[in-house]
Amino acid sequence: MISDLKSVVSYPPHFPLPDSLVAGQWPTALAPMQDVTGLPFMEVVSRRGAPDFFFTEFLRVHAHSKIDEDILASITKNPTSQPVFAQLIGENIEDLRRTVREFKQYPAAGIDLNLGCPAPRVFKKNVGGGLLRTPQRIFEILKMLREEVETLLTVKMRIGFEDDRFFDELLEIMNENKVDLLSLHARTVLGGYRSKPSYLHVEKAVKTLNCPVMLNGNVSTASGALELRNSTGAHGVMIGRSAIRNPWIFRQIREAQSGKSVFRPKLGDVYEYVDDLYLSLVKPDVEERKSVARMKKFLNFVGLSVDSEGKFLYEMRRALTKSDLFRVCSCYLLDNGKESQLFNIQPFDGLVARPSSESVDTGCQI
């Protein structure tokens, strides 16, 4: 319950809980996704109903790392009242200490440690999800972070690397280091995004930890969010890829919690979202083909709910220019009265966002 969240977590005075967290309701969060959850996407989502918490893309911390300006902008230029957590990924204690101290001058709600990224190029460096193989190292990192972080210390993790052999020990480590919030993706690192989530692990975390637990993994609809939250006892839900597909999902969850009629976007609303997203993402110094290529990464998820046969996905993926891309979008989202048709609430069966790499991620958390 939200009362539990307020009693357990102590927010810094300059970053109060959002007004959306009223009695009887529980929070939502936009999951950190690399090359996605920057300031432009946060703004686009907020215009359709903001989550209660934002998390930045991860900042890779190493001996020569500096705070990325784009990541910092998602904190310092956040147009909403919602807290934004700065996510770090790394394993060198002194480099992490230096970075945390640098962040103290900025209004981040807290520091979030990435213990979940499943990308092989990441975990092979023993960071992100790779650290789940070495609980003692995690303890040492969190011990330092607890000493240094003056705001909130949060963790985003999976239930284990290849299995859950260290799960109980990891929960003990969270308690010992007084972590303020755990976001738990209910899969292993090697399970990627297509394995079946184990929500029993979320239940166990809720019962074991002295802090709130945000459930993450396969939360694709507002009704599903309510069911999973109620069945696991989680303090809230964190949503990633489904928020790319359906940026209204946080609004829908709030409406469902309040017993209101849940907004159902039409294909015309989706076209406006796509147009808004493209304009927000495009940079004047980036050539059009690259901007289109980046936009198609988002449309791979949107297209899962456009048509059951995947024709939109097929044609969109072959567009090379902005005009080509929006011709396809207009054809499937506006033309011949399509703008008044409902956007499918769930992804259509049989469609995948990344046909060549759906089970082996090449990025992180998307």
Side-chain angles (χ1 to χ4, degrees), residues 31-76:
M33 295 176 284
Q34 212 59 11
D35 201 34
V36 174
T37 48
L39 180 62
F41 188 68
M42 289 182 180
E43 292 175 329
V44 169
V45 169
S46 294
R47 287 193 279 272
R48 285 151 184 86
D52 299 300
F53 306 122
F54 287 109
F55 291 77
T56 70
E57 303 169 77
F58 70 65
L59 174 67
R60 176 73 174 96
V61 177
H62 51 79
H64 306 292
S65 63
K66 296 181 180 179
I67 296 178
D68 181 271
E69 291 184 3
D70 287 337
I71 291 177
L72 185 59
S74 62
I75 296 171
T76 60

Side-chain angles (χ1 to χ4, degrees), residues 204-255:
K204 185 166 190 177
V206 170
K207 294 175 182 177
T208 303
L209 294 180
N210 299 323
C211 69
V213 176
M214 300 288 281
L215 178 151
N216 181 223
N218 265 29
V219 183
S220 58
T221 65
S223 60
L226 267 65
E227 290 173 7
L228 286 171
R229 187 265 170 184
N230 291 337
S231 65
T232 62
H235 293 78
V237 295
M238 172 179 276
I239 301 172
R241 294 171 297 160
S242 289
I244 302 175
R245 180 181 60 85
N246 172 20
W248 299 273
I249 193 167
F250 301 110
R251 167 187 173 177
Q252 293 167 338
I253 291 172
R254 185 67 65 229
E255 290 169 342

Side-chain angles (χ1 to χ4, degrees), residues 136-149:
Q136 181 56 35
R137 187 61 173 171
I138 292 174
F139 177 87
E140 294 166 356
I141 292 172
L142 286 176
K143 183 175 184 296
M144 179 278 296
L145 290 176
R146 185 69 281 173
E147 293 170 353
E148 293 287 344
V149 175

